[in-house]
Amino acid sequence: MKNALIPNMTRQDTPDVTKVLLKELVTKKEIAIIISSHLLSEIDNICNRICILTNGKIIKDEKTEEIKKIIGVSNYILEVNKTSLQDIIPNYHIIDNNHIKINTNRENLSNILKILLSNNIKIYEIKKDIISLEDIFLKITKEENNA
């Protein structure tokens, strides 16, 4: 297997043609390419394996799909009639006047929905949002720093 190192890529360095070429080299030519970047959304589109470092130490080295399974939670977007819910549920983010984002697992989502309904909060729609590599990176590094 041949190897390449692309140091500190930026969004300007990776136009769509470059992304397609990199993905083709990895899949068809079986070339490993090491990319150092803080643009995790770009990394998610290009890479099939991710290595997360914190303080110079490797804390995760997994296939992208496996890292996404490790997190164990998802983002849920709820359309509700009221977004000021700080006295009702913890750890949510207001998106706009009618939408909130909750990061939780399926079992806890059920409990949160029951709490909202019991507090006369109307729920019009629930969407499961794709969890980003940024979310995963923040969770993994936070856990590592708290350990």
Side-chain angles (χ1 to χ4, degrees):
M1 181 181 288
K2 297 175 186 171
N3 298 302
L5 174 63
I6 301 176
N8 203 17
M9 287 177 60
T10 64
R11 192 173 306 276
Q12 294 79 19
D13 295 332
T14 56
D16 290 339
V17 172
T18 305
K19 290 181 217 172
V20 170
L21 178 62
L22 289 173
K23 201 158 194 119
E24 187 171 311
L25 286 171
V26 168
T27 55
K28 292 184 180 174
K29 302 289 184 181
E30 295 185 356
I31 294 174
I33 300 172
I34 299 171
I35 301 171
S36 171
S37 178
H38 288 90
L39 301 172
L40 297 180
S41 60
E42 298 292 328
I43 296 300
D44 196 14
N45 291 326
I46 297 170
C47 298
N48 59 6
R49 185 171 194 89
I50 296 170
C51 183
I52 297 176
L53 294 97
T54 186
N55 300 321
K57 178 180 151 194
I58 296 173
I59 57 173
K60 285 288 177 209
D61 180 6
E62 302 278 346
K63 290 187 176 183
T64 308
E65 297 82 30
E66 294 304 312
I67 282 190
K68 289 181 178 181
K69 288 178 190 174
I70 290 170
I71 194 90
V73 297
S74 297
N75 288 325
Y76 295 92
I77 309 292
L78 279 63
E79 182 180 356
V80 292
N81 65 329
K82 178 182 173 184
T83 57
S84 179
L85 307 169
Q86 62 271 14
D87 296 331
I88 302 172
I89 59 171
N91 303 326
Y92 71 96
H93 304 285
I94 297 173
I95 298 172
D96 60 31
N97 290 338
N98 298 96
H99 296 88
I100 60 170
K101 181 190 283 190
I102 300 171
N103 183 263
T104 190
N105 59 37
R106 288 176 59 154
E107 293 76 25
N108 198 38
L109 177 64
S110 178
N111 294 331
I112 291 169
L113 296 176
K114 287 176 188 173
I115 292 167
L116 290 173
L117 292 171
S118 68
N119 282 278
N120 296 317
I121 305 297
K122 294 180 181 175
I123 303 166
Y124 302 115
E125 184 175 26
I126 303 169
K127 291 182 185 176
K128 186 175 182 181
D129 195 22
I130 298 170
I131 197 152
S132 70
L133 278 182
E134 283 93 355
D135 293 331
I136 293 168
F137 173 81
L138 291 172
K139 181 169 176 45
I140 290 171
T141 55
K142 181 180 178 183
E143 287 172 356
E144 179 68 20
N145 290 331
N146 289 337

